[in-house]
C-alpha cells in the first residue's frame, strides 16, 4: 500500500463547477498536509496547507482534513481553465520534515 | 517573499561532463532540499540539509554530490551522469527543520544527459 494515494485522473469538470480532489494516507502519525499545483513543465506551487481536522478556506480553495478516516481533500470552487494542472497531495509523517507525495491528480477544466 | 531561485534553467551535458546546479533562498530558511522529478511522476527526495549539514541522503548514487556552502546556498554537483538521470531537478526550502514546515520550491533545472 502506498503511503499517500491519489486518483491519477484526469478529472474533467466544466468551467464554473466545483472540482473535488481527494487524497488518502496510510500513516496515522501524519501531522502536516499540503496541496501543491503543478503546471506542465513547471515546479510545484503551494496552494494550501492544513494541520487540524476540519476545513480551511483560502479564496476559491478549501482544504478538508479528516484524520480519523485518513483523508484530505481539496475543493476548487468556480473552476477556471487556468486551474487545469496536476495537483499533488503531500504529507509529513510524524515529526520529520520529509514530504511524502501522492502520485498527483490531473485536473482538466473545460470552457 | 517565498522565492527560491535555481540556475541554470536548462542544462544539457554529456556523460563525461562535470556540472553544478545552484539554488538560493533569502527567506532565512534553515532546511534545504534537492528533489528529482521524472515526467508524470511526483518529486522524489534526494537530499536534505538542516542548518547547513546533510541530514538525509536517500541512497542517491555518488555521481550526485550535494554541497551547502552557507545557509542561503545549495549546490548539486554532477559527474559521470547517465541518460536515465535526465529529469527536472527541484530545490526547496523550509523554515522548520522538523515538525512539518512548509516547503517552497524553486523553478527547477531541466537536465538532459546525452
Amino acid at each position: 500500500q502506498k503511503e499517500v494515494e491519489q486518483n491519477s485522473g484526469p478529472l474533467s469538470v466544466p468551467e464554473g463547477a466545483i472540482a473535488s480532489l481527494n487524497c488518502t494516507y496510510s500513516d496515522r502519525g501524519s501531522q502536516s498536509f499540503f496541496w501543491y499545483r503543478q503546471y506542465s513543465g513547471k515546479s510545484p506551487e503551494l496552494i494550501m496547507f492544513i494541520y487540524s481536522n476540519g476545513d480551511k478556506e483560502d479564496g476559491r480553495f478549501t482544504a478538508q482534513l479528516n484524520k480519523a478516516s485518513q483523508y484530505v481533500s481539496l475543493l476548487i470552487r468556480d473552476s477556471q481553465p487556468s486551474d487545469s494542472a496536476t495537483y499533488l497531495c503531500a504529507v509529513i509523517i510524524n515529526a520529520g520534515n520529509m514530504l511524502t507525495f501522492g502520485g498527483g491528480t490531473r485536473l482538466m477544466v473545460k470552457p | 517573499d517565498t522565492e527560491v531561485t535555481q540556475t541554470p534553467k536548462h542544462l544539457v551535458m554529456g556523460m563525461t561532463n562535470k556540472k553544478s546546479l545552484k539554488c538560493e533562498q533569502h527567506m532565512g530558511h534553515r532546511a534545504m532540499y534537492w528533489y528529482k522529478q521524472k515526467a508524470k511522476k511526483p518529486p522524489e527526495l534526494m537530499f536534505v540539509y538542516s542548518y547547513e549539514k546533510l541530514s538525509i541522503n536517500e541512497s542517491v548514487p555518488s555521481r550526485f554530490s550535494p554541497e551547502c556552502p552557507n545557509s542561503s546556498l545549495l549546490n548539486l554537483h554532477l559527474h559521470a551522469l547517465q541518460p536515465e538521470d535526465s529529469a527536472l531537478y527541484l530545490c526547496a526550502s523550509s523554515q522548520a527543520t522538523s515538525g512539518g514546515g512548509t516547503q517552497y520550491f524553486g523553478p527547477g533545472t531541466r537536465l538532459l544527459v546525452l
Side-chain angles (χ1 to χ4, degrees):
Chain A
Q1 182 185 8
K2 292 182 181 177
E3 292 179 288
V4 181
E5 295 208 50
Q6 297 179 252
N7 188 319
S8 61
L11 172 66
S12 183
V13 300
E15 183 175 357
I18 296 176
S20 178
L21 305 163
N22 299 311
C23 172
T24 59
Y25 59 95
S26 60
D27 195 315
R28 287 193 173 275
S30 301
Q31 294 187 339
S32 307
F33 307 86
F34 305 85
W35 283 100
Y36 288 87
R37 177 176 63 196
Q38 187 170 27
Y39 292 112
S40 181
K42 302 295 185 182
S43 66
E45 173 191 9
L46 180 70
I47 297 296
M48 297 277 292
F49 60 86
I50 186 167
Y51 301 146
S52 304
N53 273 331
D55 295 359
K56 179 181 179 182
E57 187 174 321
D58 183 1
R60 295 187 297 112
F61 299 96
T62 299
Q64 300 175 317
L65 175 60
N66 184 322
K67 289 188 177 182
S69 300
Q70 294 176 241
Y71 81 78
V72 57
S73 62
L74 179 70
L75 301 178
I76 306 174
R77 289 181 298 281
D78 188 24
S79 295
Q80 300 297 309
S82 59
D83 294 325
S84 298
T86 295
Y87 289 80
L88 296 163
C89 171
V91 175
I92 291 184
I93 297 171
N94 294 322
N97 60 344
M98 291 174 58
L99 277 175
T100 299
F101 284 92
T105 297
R106 184 177 164 216
L107 173 66
M108 297 172 59
V109 181
K110 298 192 172 182
Chain B
D1 185 11
T2 56
E3 188 178 27
V4 177
T5 59
Q6 290 186 244
T7 56
K9 290 183 179 179
H10 302 276
L11 179 62
V12 180
M13 60 187 291
M15 290 189 285
T16 59
N17 292 156
K18 288 184 180 182
K19 297 287 185 181
S20 296
L21 309 184
K22 297 184 183 302
C23 174
E24 189 167 6
Q25 57 89 11
H26 293 289
M27 297 176 280
H29 288 176
R30 306 311 301 191
M32 297 184 76
Y33 312 78
W34 280 115
Y35 289 86
K36 172 183 177 180
Q37 187 176 26
K38 302 283 275 185
K40 300 188 185 304
K41 298 290 186 183
E44 297 175 31
L45 183 66
M46 300 174 72
F47 303 103
V48 181
Y49 273 82
S50 294
Y51 290 96
E52 302 164 44
K53 295 191 185 305
L54 183 65
S55 61
I56 295 174
N57 176 340
E58 289 288 284
S59 302
V60 179
S62 60
R63 59 185 183 269
F64 296 92
S65 175
E67 178 195 20
C68 190
N70 61 54
S71 61
S72 300
L73 293 174
L74 186 65
N75 298 322
L76 185 63
H77 302 297
L78 313 173
H79 173 56
L81 295 192
Q82 303 297 309
E84 59 265 27
D85 296 321
S86 299
L88 180 66
Y89 287 84
L90 296 162
C91 174
S93 70
S94 67
Q95 176 62 43
T97 57
S98 64
T102 303
Q103 292 185 26
Y104 297 93
F105 286 84
T109 294
R110 174 108 19 221
L111 173 66
L112 177 62
V113 181
L114 300 176

